[in-house]
Amino acid sequence: MMSALWIAACSLLLLSSSSGVEGIGVNYGMIANNLPSPDKVIALYRSRNITDVRLFHPNTTVLAALQGSGLGVVLGTLNEDLARLASDASFAASWVQSYVQPFAGAVRFRYVAAGNEVIPGDLAAYVLPAMRNLESALHAAGIAGVPVTTAVSTSVLGSSYPPSQGAFSEAALPTVGPIASFLASRSTPLLVNVYPYFAYAADPSSVQLDYALLEPASAAAVTDGGVAYTNMFDAIVDAVHAALDRVAGAQGQEGVEVVVSETGWPSGGGGAGASVGNAAAYVNNVVRHVGSGRGTPRRPGKALEAFIFAMFNENEKPEGVEQHFGLFQPDMTEVYHVDFTAAGSSS
Ligand SMILES: *[C@@H]1O[C@H](CO)[C@@H](O)[C@H](O)[C@H]1NC(C)=O
Ligand SMILES: *[C@@H]1O[C@H](CO)[C@@H](O)[C@H](O)[C@H]1NC(C)=O
């Protein structure tokens, strides 16, 4: 009892004294057998001035370590739980009662995300019903202000170039359209995983590396509706914005905003362009770009939020570049340096 009160008091103090600018978070992936304990990991986030964390699935040890940390938390569900979350309201209620309610006083939840990268696909139809059941369960538990959304990959797009022509694919539209409408009516963003790296690696001879790396000196690769795109990150994000605006326009709604739930660059693993130097350049450029608050050409001046993938190199992911997206080695030494204070300054 004493300690619960103490934690609650601490977290109030942290929340009220927090002047950190929301903007850059880091994904806490756990597909590894050699990671530090969650309390050490959360301390590492704080010591590096990382303000937000995304969890792919709930874990009560991790949530306990987040109590009083002041970090903003995006909490995902396992994809394997989507069918049950969609069909069984009592399962959604117990999910909220296990993972959100006990921590809500001392953990600053930002979003609950139903599933990751399942649209289009066999699980896609479960996403919106799962979102509805989770929202009802949160409301029933008296937890206000934690919106429910989902995370998609850019495979939801059928067209993405030039960015203003962004549109959802025929395979994705039947599920992502109604989800966009749900999000629009609540002013909740869609989470989108954005990887210029994979576009570059698929075709390194025709994609300019500087454009993929957001290098400031990169020449504009495309001029679209009078706007010049000088980096692929903005081009991808705006293609998703355009697809969302298309759906919203058809329904007389405002366009949905995007939170970049994953972006990163591998520091090794043998892929084209996978190097420590390129990874350091990409991630530091993203932090500065997002931190500038300039937004993207389609949403100028509208600060974007992004989560870097990922905190650690994960040794149980598939071999190759997938094991090399970490900012840190499992022993908590840096793979390369990232200056997260740049997220709060304008450049
Ligand atoms: C974190 O922010 C504090 C306060 O602005 C600063 O003194 C410290 O150097 C920063 N730490 C890192 C690792 O950037
Ligand atoms: C939660 O995370 C801890 C620390 O990494 C791990 O030991 C534990 O197995 C996880 N629990 C579940 C249910 O996955």
Side-chain angles (χ1 to χ4, degrees):
M1 190 61 186
M2 275 304 287
S3 79
L5 280 174
W6 183 82
I7 288 167
C10 273
S11 81
L12 280 177
L13 210 74
L14 280 168
L15 293 182
S16 59
S17 69
S18 160
S19 59
V21 177
E22 210 86 66
I24 290 282
V26 178
N27 283 272
Y28 181 4
M30 300 179 68
I31 306 182
N33 58 18
N34 55 358
L35 297 184
S37 62
D39 56 334
K40 291 199 176 106
V41 175
I42 301 312
L44 182 59
Y45 271 78
R46 296 191 58 197
S47 75
R48 295 309 169 112
N49 293 330
I50 302 167
T51 57
D52 292 85
V53 56
R54 175 172 172 235
L55 306 177
F56 288 92
H57 52 81
N59 175 306
T60 51
T61 313
V62 175
L63 289 165
L66 281 162
Q67 289 180 309
S69 69
L71 290 178
V73 178
V74 176
L75 181 60
T77 72
L78 285 169
N79 289 340
E80 292 82 349
D81 284 343
L82 282 172
R84 223 174 138 199
L85 288 167
S87 64
D88 183 353
S90 69
F91 182 68
S94 79
W95 193 96
V96 166
Q97 282 154 18
S98 304
Y99 303 126
V100 184
Q101 203 167 17
F103 303 99
V107 172
R108 197 162 61 85
F109 289 108
R110 306 275 320 285
Y111 305 106
V112 166
N116 184 43
E117 298 194 346
V118 300
I119 304 170
D122 293 347
L123 297 177
Y126 298 124
V127 174
L128 185 55
M131 287 167 64
R132 289 190 193 283
N133 279 342
L134 285 165
E135 182 186 71
S136 300
L138 286 163
H139 290 173
I143 295 156
V146 184
V148 181
T149 183
T150 184
V152 299
S153 77
T154 45
S155 63
V156 294
L157 295 176
S159 143
S160 62
Y161 192 87
S164 62
Q165 295 308 303
F168 293 119
S169 69
E170 278 179 36
L173 190 59
T175 42
V176 84
I179 289 169
S181 188
F182 174 97
L183 295 173
S185 66
R186 288 154 176 80
S187 298
T188 299
L190 178 68
L191 309 186
V192 183
N193 300 337
V194 173
Y195 284 100
Y197 172 72
F198 290 112
Y200 171 77
D203 196 2
S205 59
S206 46
V207 178
Q208 290 175 54
L209 184 60
D210 278 2
Y211 180 68
L213 289 176
L214 285 93
E215 291 291 25
S218 165
V222 55
T223 303
D224 180 20
V227 218
Y229 282 86
T230 58
N231 68 75
M232 197 193 292
F233 177 88
D234 279 350
I236 295 172
V237 171
D238 274 357
V240 179
H241 280 141
L244 287 165
D245 289 349
R246 212 173 288 281
V247 168
Q251 318 215 345
Q253 288 174 312
E254 289 283 307
V256 171
E257 300 306 325
V258 162
V259 167
V260 175
S261 37
E262 290 176 32
T263 194
W265 195 285
S267 62
S275 70
V276 171
N278 286 345
Y282 180 78
V283 172
N284 280 286
N285 286 340
V286 168
V287 171
R288 268 193 299 271
H289 179 60
V290 169
S292 75
R294 280 184 309 233
T296 63
R298 198 178 174 94
R299 299 277 199 276
K302 190 146 205 166
L304 191 64
E305 191 178 351
F307 289 75
I308 304 298
F309 186 87
M311 196 62 171
F312 295 104
N313 282 337
E314 294 170 66
N315 68 352
E316 294 183 329
K317 299 209 80 169
E319 272 184 38
V321 295
E322 295 282 344
Q323 294 188 355
H324 296 270
F325 274 83
L327 307 179
F328 294 93
Q329 305 286 2
D331 68 2
M332 304 211 289
T333 57
E334 288 182 338
V335 178
Y336 50 88
H337 185 68
V338 179
D339 180 10
F340 284 96
T341 55
S345 63
S346 44
S347 60

PDB file of all heavy atoms in Angstrom, residues 142-181:
ATOM      1  N   GLY A 142     -13.244   2.677 -16.739  1.00  0.00           N
ATOM      2  CA  GLY A 142     -13.077   4.059 -16.290  1.00  0.00           C
ATOM      3  C   GLY A 142     -11.779   4.689 -16.767  1.00  0.00           C
ATOM      4  O   GLY A 142     -11.301   5.663 -16.190  1.00  0.00           O
ATOM      5  N   ILE A 143     -11.192   4.109 -17.820  1.00  0.00           N
ATOM      6  CA  ILE A 143      -9.932   4.656 -18.326  1.00  0.00           C
ATOM      7  C   ILE A 143     -10.238   5.534 -19.539  1.00  0.00           C
ATOM      8  O   ILE A 143     -10.538   5.048 -20.623  1.00  0.00           O
ATOM      9  CB  ILE A 143      -8.949   3.528 -18.677  1.00  0.00           C
ATOM     10  CG1 ILE A 143      -8.579   2.790 -17.397  1.00  0.00           C
ATOM     11  CG2 ILE A 143      -7.686   4.082 -19.349  1.00  0.00           C
ATOM     12  CD1 ILE A 143      -8.115   1.388 -17.613  1.00  0.00           C
ATOM     13  N   ALA A 144     -10.186   6.831 -19.283  1.00  0.00           N
ATOM     14  CA  ALA A 144     -10.476   7.782 -20.360  1.00  0.00           C
ATOM     15  C   ALA A 144      -9.159   8.231 -20.975  1.00  0.00           C
ATOM     16  O   ALA A 144      -8.111   8.174 -20.343  1.00  0.00           O
ATOM     17  CB  ALA A 144     -11.219   8.982 -19.796  1.00  0.00           C
ATOM     18  N   GLY A 145      -9.198   8.643 -22.187  1.00  0.00           N
ATOM     19  CA  GLY A 145      -8.012   9.274 -22.774  1.00  0.00           C
ATOM     20  C   GLY A 145      -6.944   8.322 -23.241  1.00  0.00           C
ATOM     21  O   GLY A 145      -5.808   8.734 -23.446  1.00  0.00           O
ATOM     22  N   VAL A 146      -7.254   7.046 -23.388  1.00  0.00           N
ATOM     23  CA  VAL A 146      -6.302   6.129 -24.026  1.00  0.00           C
ATOM     24  C   VAL A 146      -6.966   5.606 -25.306  1.00  0.00           C
ATOM     25  O   VAL A 146      -7.727   4.638 -25.269  1.00  0.00           O
ATOM     26  CB  VAL A 146      -5.891   4.953 -23.107  1.00  0.00           C
ATOM     27  CG1 VAL A 146      -4.826   4.092 -23.805  1.00  0.00           C
ATOM     28  CG2 VAL A 146      -5.347   5.461 -21.774  1.00  0.00           C
ATOM     29  N   PRO A 147      -6.699   6.258 -26.435  1.00  0.00           N
ATOM     30  CA  PRO A 147      -7.368   5.860 -27.672  1.00  0.00           C
ATOM     31  C   PRO A 147      -6.883   4.496 -28.162  1.00  0.00           C
ATOM     32  O   PRO A 147      -5.746   4.098 -27.891  1.00  0.00           O
ATOM     33  CB  PRO A 147      -6.960   6.947 -28.671  1.00  0.00           C
ATOM     34  CG  PRO A 147      -6.256   8.003 -27.901  1.00  0.00           C
ATOM     35  CD  PRO A 147      -5.793   7.396 -26.629  1.00  0.00           C
ATOM     36  N   VAL A 148      -7.749   3.833 -28.915  1.00  0.00           N
ATOM     37  CA  VAL A 148      -7.412   2.528 -29.482  1.00  0.00           C
ATOM     38  C   VAL A 148      -7.198   2.684 -30.986  1.00  0.00           C
ATOM     39  O   VAL A 148      -7.994   3.328 -31.669  1.00  0.00           O
ATOM     40  CB  VAL A 148      -8.541   1.508 -29.223  1.00  0.00           C
ATOM     41  CG1 VAL A 148      -8.173   0.151 -29.804  1.00  0.00           C
ATOM     42  CG2 VAL A 148      -8.809   1.395 -27.722  1.00  0.00           C
ATOM     43  N   THR A 149      -6.109   2.092 -31.477  1.00  0.00           N
ATOM     44  CA  THR A 149      -5.785   2.171 -32.894  1.00  0.00           C
ATOM     45  C   THR A 149      -5.159   0.852 -33.316  1.00  0.00           C
ATOM     46  O   THR A 149      -5.270  -0.155 -32.613  1.00  0.00           O
ATOM     47  CB  THR A 149      -4.873   3.404 -33.165  1.00  0.00           C
ATOM     48  OG1 THR A 149      -4.613   3.505 -34.558  1.00  0.00           O
ATOM     49  CG2 THR A 149      -3.570   3.352 -32.394  1.00  0.00           C
ATOM     50  N   THR A 150      -4.525   0.826 -34.493  1.00  0.00           N
ATOM     51  CA  THR A 150      -3.793  -0.363 -34.935  1.00  0.00           C
ATOM     52  C   THR A 150      -2.554   0.102 -35.689  1.00  0.00           C
ATOM     53  O   THR A 150      -2.469   1.269 -36.094  1.00  0.00           O
ATOM     54  CB  THR A 150      -4.662  -1.267 -35.839  1.00  0.00           C
ATOM     55  OG1 THR A 150      -3.936  -2.475 -36.165  1.00  0.00           O
ATOM     56  CG2 THR A 150      -5.047  -0.578 -37.150  1.00  0.00           C
ATOM     57  N   ALA A 151      -1.594  -0.812 -35.850  1.00  0.00           N
ATOM     58  CA  ALA A 151      -0.357  -0.483 -36.592  1.00  0.00           C
ATOM     59  C   ALA A 151      -0.363  -1.233 -37.919  1.00  0.00           C
ATOM     60  O   ALA A 151      -0.591  -2.443 -37.953  1.00  0.00           O
ATOM     61  CB  ALA A 151       0.874  -0.867 -35.771  1.00  0.00           C
ATOM     62  N   VAL A 152      -0.128  -0.495 -39.000  1.00  0.00           N
ATOM     63  CA  VAL A 152      -0.101  -1.111 -40.326  1.00  0.00           C
ATOM     64  C   VAL A 152       1.272  -0.917 -40.965  1.00  0.00           C
ATOM     65  O   VAL A 152       2.019  -0.008 -40.604  1.00  0.00           O
ATOM     66  CB  VAL A 152      -1.180  -0.513 -41.263  1.00  0.00           C
ATOM     67  CG1 VAL A 152      -2.573  -0.744 -40.693  1.00  0.00           C
ATOM     68  CG2 VAL A 152      -0.945   0.977 -41.531  1.00  0.00           C
ATOM     69  N   SER A 153       1.574  -1.781 -41.924  1.00  0.00           N
ATOM     70  CA  SER A 153       2.767  -1.558 -42.745  1.00  0.00           C
ATOM     71  C   SER A 153       2.322  -0.851 -44.020  1.00  0.00           C
ATOM     72  O   SER A 153       1.126  -0.741 -44.299  1.00  0.00           O
ATOM     73  CB  SER A 153       3.440  -2.889 -43.088  1.00  0.00           C
ATOM     74  OG  SER A 153       2.711  -3.526 -44.116  1.00  0.00           O
ATOM     75  N   THR A 154       3.285  -0.409 -44.820  1.00  0.00           N
ATOM     76  CA  THR A 154       2.913   0.294 -46.050  1.00  0.00           C
ATOM     77  C   THR A 154       2.408  -0.677 -47.114  1.00  0.00           C
ATOM     78  O   THR A 154       2.047  -0.234 -48.206  1.00  0.00           O
ATOM     79  CB  THR A 154       4.086   1.129 -46.595  1.00  0.00           C
ATOM     80  OG1 THR A 154       5.272   0.344 -46.554  1.00  0.00           O
ATOM     81  CG2 THR A 154       4.283   2.375 -45.751  1.00  0.00           C
ATOM     82  N   SER A 155       2.327  -1.967 -46.807  1.00  0.00           N
ATOM     83  CA  SER A 155       1.698  -2.879 -47.763  1.00  0.00           C
ATOM     84  C   SER A 155       0.184  -2.660 -47.845  1.00  0.00           C
ATOM     85  O   SER A 155      -0.485  -3.274 -48.665  1.00  0.00           O
ATOM     86  CB  SER A 155       2.041  -4.335 -47.477  1.00  0.00           C
ATOM     87  OG  SER A 155       1.546  -4.702 -46.229  1.00  0.00           O
ATOM     88  N   VAL A 156      -0.362  -1.757 -47.013  1.00  0.00           N
ATOM     89  CA  VAL A 156      -1.775  -1.363 -47.189  1.00  0.00           C
ATOM     90  C   VAL A 156      -1.954  -0.508 -48.444  1.00  0.00           C
ATOM     91  O   VAL A 156      -3.073  -0.336 -48.928  1.00  0.00           O
ATOM     92  CB  VAL A 156      -2.357  -0.586 -45.973  1.00  0.00           C
ATOM     93  CG1 VAL A 156      -2.427  -1.486 -44.747  1.00  0.00           C
ATOM     94  CG2 VAL A 156      -1.565   0.688 -45.682  1.00  0.00           C
ATOM     95  N   LEU A 157      -0.850   0.055 -48.950  1.00  0.00           N
ATOM     96  CA  LEU A 157      -0.959   0.959 -50.102  1.00  0.00           C
ATOM     97  C   LEU A 157      -0.940   0.178 -51.419  1.00  0.00           C
ATOM     98  O   LEU A 157      -0.144  -0.749 -51.588  1.00  0.00           O
ATOM     99  CB  LEU A 157       0.198   1.962 -50.097  1.00  0.00           C
ATOM    100  CG  LEU A 157       0.241   2.952 -48.936  1.00  0.00           C
ATOM    101  CD1 LEU A 157       1.495   3.812 -49.024  1.00  0.00           C
ATOM    102  CD2 LEU A 157      -1.012   3.822 -48.910  1.00  0.00           C
ATOM    103  N   GLY A 158      -1.810   0.579 -52.337  1.00  0.00           N
ATOM    104  CA  GLY A 158      -1.760   0.025 -53.684  1.00  0.00           C
ATOM    105  C   GLY A 158      -0.970   0.954 -54.575  1.00  0.00           C
ATOM    106  O   GLY A 158      -0.359   0.536 -55.558  1.00  0.00           O
ATOM    107  N   SER A 159      -0.981   2.242 -54.226  1.00  0.00           N
ATOM    108  CA  SER A 159      -0.252   3.237 -55.002  1.00  0.00           C
ATOM    109  C   SER A 159       0.374   4.214 -54.024  1.00  0.00           C
ATOM    110  O   SER A 159      -0.252   4.606 -53.034  1.00  0.00           O
ATOM    111  CB  SER A 159      -1.251   3.915 -55.955  1.00  0.00           C
ATOM    112  OG  SER A 159      -0.962   5.274 -56.083  1.00  0.00           O
ATOM    113  N   SER A 160       1.643   4.577 -54.269  1.00  0.00           N
ATOM    114  CA  SER A 160       2.335   5.437 -53.309  1.00  0.00           C
ATOM    115  C   SER A 160       3.211   6.479 -53.986  1.00  0.00           C
ATOM    116  O   SER A 160       3.913   7.233 -53.320  1.00  0.00           O
ATOM    117  CB  SER A 160       3.196   4.593 -52.366  1.00  0.00           C
ATOM    118  OG  SER A 160       4.177   3.899 -53.095  1.00  0.00           O
ATOM    119  N   TYR A 161       3.178   6.536 -55.319  1.00  0.00           N
ATOM    120  CA  TYR A 161       4.086   7.434 -56.022  1.00  0.00           C
ATOM    121  C   TYR A 161       3.403   8.042 -57.230  1.00  0.00           C
ATOM    122  O   TYR A 161       2.790   7.311 -57.993  1.00  0.00           O
ATOM    123  CB  TYR A 161       5.336   6.667 -56.459  1.00  0.00           C
ATOM    124  CG  TYR A 161       6.443   7.563 -56.935  1.00  0.00           C
ATOM    125  CD1 TYR A 161       7.362   8.098 -56.045  1.00  0.00           C
ATOM    126  CD2 TYR A 161       6.551   7.888 -58.285  1.00  0.00           C
ATOM    127  CE1 TYR A 161       8.381   8.932 -56.481  1.00  0.00           C
ATOM    128  CE2 TYR A 161       7.571   8.730 -58.726  1.00  0.00           C
ATOM    129  CZ  TYR A 161       8.473   9.248 -57.822  1.00  0.00           C
ATOM    130  OH  TYR A 161       9.481  10.068 -58.249  1.00  0.00           O
ATOM    131  N   PRO A 162       3.499   9.379 -57.391  1.00  0.00           N
ATOM    132  CA  PRO A 162       3.992  10.334 -56.402  1.00  0.00           C
ATOM    133  C   PRO A 162       3.090  10.350 -55.159  1.00  0.00           C
ATOM    134  O   PRO A 162       1.962   9.843 -55.218  1.00  0.00           O
ATOM    135  CB  PRO A 162       3.960  11.670 -57.149  1.00  0.00           C
ATOM    136  CG  PRO A 162       2.933  11.483 -58.225  1.00  0.00           C
ATOM    137  CD  PRO A 162       2.972  10.044 -58.601  1.00  0.00           C
ATOM    138  N   PRO A 163       3.581  10.926 -54.060  1.00  0.00           N
ATOM    139  CA  PRO A 163       2.866  10.817 -52.782  1.00  0.00           C
ATOM    140  C   PRO A 163       1.393  11.235 -52.855  1.00  0.00           C
ATOM    141  O   PRO A 163       0.546  10.604 -52.220  1.00  0.00           O
ATOM    142  CB  PRO A 163       3.661  11.751 -51.854  1.00  0.00           C
ATOM    143  CG  PRO A 163       5.041  11.749 -52.423  1.00  0.00           C
ATOM    144  CD  PRO A 163       4.893  11.609 -53.917  1.00  0.00           C
ATOM    145  N   SER A 164       1.075  12.263 -53.646  1.00  0.00           N
ATOM    146  CA  SER A 164      -0.322  12.726 -53.701  1.00  0.00           C
ATOM    147  C   SER A 164      -1.246  11.670 -54.300  1.00  0.00           C
ATOM    148  O   SER A 164      -2.467  11.746 -54.140  1.00  0.00           O
ATOM    149  CB  SER A 164      -0.427  14.017 -54.517  1.00  0.00           C
ATOM    150  OG  SER A 164      -0.017  13.767 -55.855  1.00  0.00           O
ATOM    151  N   GLN A 165      -0.666  10.677 -54.992  1.00  0.00           N
ATOM    152  CA  GLN A 165      -1.480   9.600 -55.577  1.00  0.00           C
ATOM    153  C   GLN A 165      -1.634   8.419 -54.625  1.00  0.00           C
ATOM    154  O   GLN A 165      -2.154   7.369 -55.011  1.00  0.00           O
ATOM    155  CB  GLN A 165      -0.849   9.135 -56.894  1.00  0.00           C
ATOM    156  CG  GLN A 165      -0.854  10.214 -57.966  1.00  0.00           C
ATOM    157  CD  GLN A 165      -2.245  10.805 -58.167  1.00  0.00           C
ATOM    158  OE1 GLN A 165      -3.206  10.106 -58.455  1.00  0.00           O
ATOM    159  NE2 GLN A 165      -2.356  12.118 -57.954  1.00  0.00           N
ATOM    160  N   GLY A 166      -1.177   8.578 -53.382  1.00  0.00           N
ATOM    161  CA  GLY A 166      -1.275   7.492 -52.411  1.00  0.00           C
ATOM    162  C   GLY A 166      -2.708   7.009 -52.270  1.00  0.00           C
ATOM    163  O   GLY A 166      -3.631   7.814 -52.148  1.00  0.00           O
ATOM    164  N   ALA A 167      -2.887   5.682 -52.320  1.00  0.00           N
ATOM    165  CA  ALA A 167      -4.226   5.096 -52.178  1.00  0.00           C
ATOM    166  C   ALA A 167      -4.083   3.694 -51.601  1.00  0.00           C
ATOM    167  O   ALA A 167      -3.084   3.004 -51.862  1.00  0.00           O
ATOM    168  CB  ALA A 167      -4.927   5.037 -53.534  1.00  0.00           C
ATOM    169  N   PHE A 168      -5.085   3.286 -50.829  1.00  0.00           N
ATOM    170  CA  PHE A 168      -5.059   1.927 -50.293  1.00  0.00           C
ATOM    171  C   PHE A 168      -5.297   0.923 -51.416  1.00  0.00           C
ATOM    172  O   PHE A 168      -5.998   1.211 -52.392  1.00  0.00           O
ATOM    173  CB  PHE A 168      -6.117   1.772 -49.196  1.00  0.00           C
ATOM    174  CG  PHE A 168      -5.817   2.599 -47.972  1.00  0.00           C
ATOM    175  CD1 PHE A 168      -6.695   3.587 -47.537  1.00  0.00           C
ATOM    176  CD2 PHE A 168      -4.645   2.398 -47.256  1.00  0.00           C
ATOM    177  CE1 PHE A 168      -6.409   4.365 -46.419  1.00  0.00           C
ATOM    178  CE2 PHE A 168      -4.349   3.176 -46.132  1.00  0.00           C
ATOM    179  CZ  PHE A 168      -5.228   4.151 -45.717  1.00  0.00           C
ATOM    180  N   SER A 169      -4.723  -0.256 -51.255  1.00  0.00           N
ATOM    181  CA  SER A 169      -4.900  -1.303 -52.265  1.00  0.00           C
ATOM    182  C   SER A 169      -6.312  -1.870 -52.173  1.00  0.00           C
ATOM    183  O   SER A 169      -6.991  -1.735 -51.146  1.00  0.00           O
ATOM    184  CB  SER A 169      -3.883  -2.425 -52.033  1.00  0.00           C
ATOM    185  OG  SER A 169      -4.213  -3.120 -50.842  1.00  0.00           O
ATOM    186  N   GLU A 170      -6.725  -2.539 -53.245  1.00  0.00           N
ATOM    187  CA  GLU A 170      -8.052  -3.178 -53.227  1.00  0.00           C
ATOM    188  C   GLU A 170      -8.137  -4.234 -52.145  1.00  0.00           C
ATOM    189  O   GLU A 170      -9.194  -4.462 -51.567  1.00  0.00           O
ATOM    190  CB  GLU A 170      -8.333  -3.815 -54.584  1.00  0.00           C
ATOM    191  CG  GLU A 170      -8.853  -2.814 -55.591  1.00  0.00           C
ATOM    192  CD  GLU A 170      -9.114  -3.464 -56.953  1.00  0.00           C
ATOM    193  OE1 GLU A 170      -9.545  -4.632 -56.977  1.00  0.00           O
ATOM    194  OE2 GLU A 170      -8.861  -2.789 -57.958  1.00  0.00           O
ATOM    195  N   ALA A 171      -7.012  -4.892 -51.866  1.00  0.00           N
ATOM    196  CA  ALA A 171      -7.015  -5.939 -50.836  1.00  0.00           C
ATOM    197  C   ALA A 171      -7.161  -5.342 -49.433  1.00  0.00           C
ATOM    198  O   ALA A 171      -7.780  -5.939 -48.555  1.00  0.00           O
ATOM    199  CB  ALA A 171      -5.728  -6.749 -50.919  1.00  0.00           C
ATOM    200  N   ALA A 172      -6.590  -4.136 -49.227  1.00  0.00           N
ATOM    201  CA  ALA A 172      -6.599  -3.547 -47.878  1.00  0.00           C
ATOM    202  C   ALA A 172      -7.825  -2.684 -47.617  1.00  0.00           C
ATOM    203  O   ALA A 172      -8.291  -2.592 -46.469  1.00  0.00           O
ATOM    204  CB  ALA A 172      -5.337  -2.703 -47.675  1.00  0.00           C
ATOM    205  N   LEU A 173      -8.354  -2.060 -48.666  1.00  0.00           N
ATOM    206  CA  LEU A 173      -9.403  -1.049 -48.481  1.00  0.00           C
ATOM    207  C   LEU A 173     -10.631  -1.524 -47.688  1.00  0.00           C
ATOM    208  O   LEU A 173     -11.127  -0.789 -46.828  1.00  0.00           O
ATOM    209  CB  LEU A 173      -9.829  -0.480 -49.844  1.00  0.00           C
ATOM    210  CG  LEU A 173     -10.743   0.740 -49.783  1.00  0.00           C
ATOM    211  CD1 LEU A 173     -10.081   1.893 -49.031  1.00  0.00           C
ATOM    212  CD2 LEU A 173     -11.146   1.186 -51.189  1.00  0.00           C
ATOM    213  N   PRO A 174     -11.142  -2.742 -47.943  1.00  0.00           N
ATOM    214  CA  PRO A 174     -12.346  -3.151 -47.198  1.00  0.00           C
ATOM    215  C   PRO A 174     -12.151  -3.174 -45.679  1.00  0.00           C
ATOM    216  O   PRO A 174     -13.103  -2.987 -44.934  1.00  0.00           O
ATOM    217  CB  PRO A 174     -12.623  -4.561 -47.719  1.00  0.00           C
ATOM    218  CG  PRO A 174     -11.962  -4.606 -49.061  1.00  0.00           C
ATOM    219  CD  PRO A 174     -10.745  -3.718 -48.947  1.00  0.00           C
ATOM    220  N   THR A 175     -10.903  -3.399 -45.201  1.00  0.00           N
ATOM    221  CA  THR A 175     -10.693  -3.354 -43.751  1.00  0.00           C
ATOM    222  C   THR A 175     -10.145  -2.010 -43.293  1.00  0.00           C
ATOM    223  O   THR A 175     -10.564  -1.485 -42.268  1.00  0.00           O
ATOM    224  CB  THR A 175      -9.741  -4.473 -43.263  1.00  0.00           C
ATOM    225  OG1 THR A 175      -8.656  -4.599 -44.164  1.00  0.00           O
ATOM    226  CG2 THR A 175     -10.475  -5.780 -43.124  1.00  0.00           C
ATOM    227  N   VAL A 176      -9.216  -1.446 -44.063  1.00  0.00           N
ATOM    228  CA  VAL A 176      -8.588  -0.214 -43.586  1.00  0.00           C
ATOM    229  C   VAL A 176      -9.534   0.985 -43.757  1.00  0.00           C
ATOM    230  O   VAL A 176      -9.469   1.936 -42.972  1.00  0.00           O
ATOM    231  CB  VAL A 176      -7.202  -0.009 -44.252  1.00  0.00           C
ATOM    232  CG1 VAL A 176      -7.293   0.657 -45.596  1.00  0.00           C
ATOM    233  CG2 VAL A 176      -6.262   0.768 -43.331  1.00  0.00           C
ATOM    234  N   GLY A 177     -10.457   0.922 -44.715  1.00  0.00           N
ATOM    235  CA  GLY A 177     -11.417   2.019 -44.905  1.00  0.00           C
ATOM    236  C   GLY A 177     -12.277   2.243 -43.671  1.00  0.00           C
ATOM    237  O   GLY A 177     -12.294   3.352 -43.104  1.00  0.00           O
ATOM    238  N   PRO A 178     -12.990   1.213 -43.201  1.00  0.00           N
ATOM    239  CA  PRO A 178     -13.789   1.377 -41.979  1.00  0.00           C
ATOM    240  C   PRO A 178     -12.948   1.713 -40.738  1.00  0.00           C
ATOM    241  O   PRO A 178     -13.404   2.435 -39.852  1.00  0.00           O
ATOM    242  CB  PRO A 178     -14.473   0.010 -41.811  1.00  0.00           C
ATOM    243  CG  PRO A 178     -14.520  -0.556 -43.204  1.00  0.00           C
ATOM    244  CD  PRO A 178     -13.280  -0.063 -43.894  1.00  0.00           C
ATOM    245  N   ILE A 179     -11.708   1.206 -40.679  1.00  0.00           N
ATOM    246  CA  ILE A 179     -10.823   1.568 -39.555  1.00  0.00           C
ATOM    247  C   ILE A 179     -10.506   3.059 -39.614  1.00  0.00           C
ATOM    248  O   ILE A 179     -10.554   3.759 -38.590  1.00  0.00           O
ATOM    249  CB  ILE A 179      -9.531   0.717 -39.578  1.00  0.00           C
ATOM    250  CG1 ILE A 179      -9.837  -0.724 -39.188  1.00  0.00           C
ATOM    251  CG2 ILE A 179      -8.468   1.306 -38.640  1.00  0.00           C
ATOM    252  CD1 ILE A 179      -8.693  -1.702 -39.432  1.00  0.00           C
ATOM    253  N   ALA A 180     -10.222   3.574 -40.810  1.00  0.00           N
ATOM    254  CA  ALA A 180      -9.930   5.008 -40.959  1.00  0.00           C
ATOM    255  C   ALA A 180     -11.130   5.836 -40.516  1.00  0.00           C
ATOM    256  O   ALA A 180     -10.975   6.882 -39.866  1.00  0.00           O
ATOM    257  CB  ALA A 180      -9.561   5.318 -42.410  1.00  0.00           C
ATOM    258  N   SER A 181     -12.316   5.372 -40.842  1.00  0.00           N
ATOM    259  CA  SER A 181     -13.527   6.083 -40.466  1.00  0.00           C
ATOM    260  C   SER A 181     -13.710   6.094 -38.939  1.00  0.00           C
ATOM    261  O   SER A 181     -14.032   7.124 -38.331  1.00  0.00           O
ATOM    262  CB  SER A 181     -14.692   5.388 -41.166  1.00  0.00           C
ATOM    263  OG  SER A 181     -15.838   6.102 -41.003  1.00  0.00           O
TER     264      SER A 181
END
